[in-house]
Amino acid sequence: SITRPDPIDRLENTISLGSPMNDRWPHIPYEPWKETSETLHQWLQIVGKYRLALTPRINHTWHATLYLNARGLDTSVIHCGDKSVQVLFDFVDHALVCAASDGQRRSLPLQSMSVAAFHAEFSAVVNELGVSIDFDGTPNEVPDPVPFARNTAPGAYDADAARRFWLALLQVDRVFKSFRTGFLGKVSPVHLFWGSFDLAVTRFSGRAAPRHPGGVPGLPDDVTREAYSHEVSSAGFWAGGGGLGFPAFYSYAYPTPEGFAEQPVTPSEAHFDANLGEFLLPYDAVRTATDPDRALLGFLQSTYDAAARQGKWDREALECPLGVPRVPRVV
């Protein structure tokens, strides 16, 4: 059988302990930055849909996601004809930066403006760079969607709140990436879905799933069915919104195996939300824990264990100890 050492042993070998781990996890209550969050969500969708229009499709919509970097969130390289371009939401200098492979670079300040204004400015920037393309102009996965170009309601941008959100994402990304290493099967990158506005990582059992019924608000059924074409255990982080008034981690399985909701998970603040059909753990329970990394990794591992155990995954073939720098996997 597989030997599974405490996953925290892996974290303690790689994290600098120069300051308490709690200090790394910023306070990000949802209500004070709700308007900024809603505006930023729309802006991310605009850039995400631009990438979507130019990038060949990959299963589970992995071709369209955004990624954390040392300054914010970026698209990775997008190819457009004989040029390539990369778009960055820079939460250090608070600018949207578009860099092209021919050396051109344009930026626009991130500041309070309407979604329509951001859409127009971004469209002008990519046009100047010679990498313009028509892309879908309506947001997904939001209630009562208004086309970007017609959404002239005042938008908000609190620079400090956006920066703290990004700093929180960096911590989540770090722990998610460590958790990701403990799996030999198919597993997603750690990436941000701009539609649902969550940072996520997903493990796959390797088996096909029953056809998804669709019906997810604001999402085409073919996209949903491709996303859930195979059995998954998925975990992620929301900063709030969508009916959830606080930032939280989540974990669910598709299809949901019998008895999943009743499985014990850690830490004690985690619970199963019957309305959402998934386990939730408030971000503040992690942020204020004596050891935030241990608390979050415990949630990720215990909820995955529940999905894999109840779903009868082939755990011997799929699992392995968490990865260690410079040490190859022994096959």
Side-chain angles (χ1 to χ4, degrees), residues 24-262:
R24 300 164 179 247
W25 296 78
H27 189 36
I28 51 168
Y30 179 64
E31 284 302 321
W33 88 297
K34 177 181 177 181
E35 293 183 359
T36 293
S37 175
E38 292 174 347
T39 301
L40 181 60
H41 185 190
Q42 298 271 321
W43 295 354
L44 291 169
Q45 291 219 19
I46 290 168
V47 172
K49 291 207 165 202
Y50 170 78
R51 183 187 178 200
L52 187 66
L54 284 165
T55 308
R57 194 174 189 89
I58 299 175
N59 51 334
H60 317 299
T61 320
W62 293 354
H63 60 296
T65 54
L66 304 178
Y67 308 95
L68 264 293
N69 71 24
R71 298 189 70 88
L73 286 162
D74 72 36
T75 59
S76 76
V77 174
I78 302 169
H79 302 292
C80 182
D82 60 354
K83 291 186 182 182
S84 299
V85 65
Q86 188 162 348
V87 184
L88 164 68
F89 283 87
D90 185 333
F91 296 126
V92 177
D93 290 338
H94 300 286
L96 185 79
V97 182
C98 302
S101 56
D102 61 2
Q104 294 189 81
R105 185 176 183 274
R106 300 287 188 278
S107 65
L108 61 94
L110 295 178
Q111 58 190 9
S112 295
M113 71 177 87
S114 69
V115 172
F118 181 91
H119 179 267
E121 292 198 26
F122 173 71
S123 298
V125 163
V126 294
N127 187 58
E128 288 177 16
L129 292 175
V131 290
S132 182
I133 190 172
D134 289 335
F135 58 91
D136 183 74
T138 303
N140 290 110
E141 300 185 70
V142 296
D144 305 316
V146 177
F148 303 125
R150 298 212 310 260
N151 189 349
T152 58
Y157 186 77
D158 180 330
D160 179 64
R163 178 177 177 275
R164 284 186 286 110
F165 166 63
W166 161 65
L167 291 173
L169 287 181
L170 283 177
Q171 298 310 309
V172 176
D173 179 76
R174 176 175 56 80
V175 178
F176 278 15
K177 283 178 176 172
S178 180
F179 173 69
R180 183 180 185 271
T181 65
F183 201 73
L184 295 173
K186 175 179 170 181
V187 59
S188 77
V190 178
H191 46 198
L192 187 133
F193 286 104
W194 41 261
S196 48
F197 202 16
D198 59 325
L199 193 73
V201 62
T202 302
R203 292 176 171 185
F204 293 77
S205 75
R207 299 185 302 234
R211 180 179 170 88
H212 196 285
V216 176
L219 198 63
D221 286 348
D222 62 342
V223 174
T224 303
R225 287 173 178 144
E226 184 189 61
Y228 295 110
S229 60
H230 290 72
E231 292 181 346
V232 301
S233 171
S234 189
F237 170 71
W238 283 313
L244 197 66
F246 56 91
F249 300 95
Y250 66 80
S251 182
Y252 65 88
Y254 181 79
T256 306
E258 184 177 354
F260 177 65
E262 290 74 42

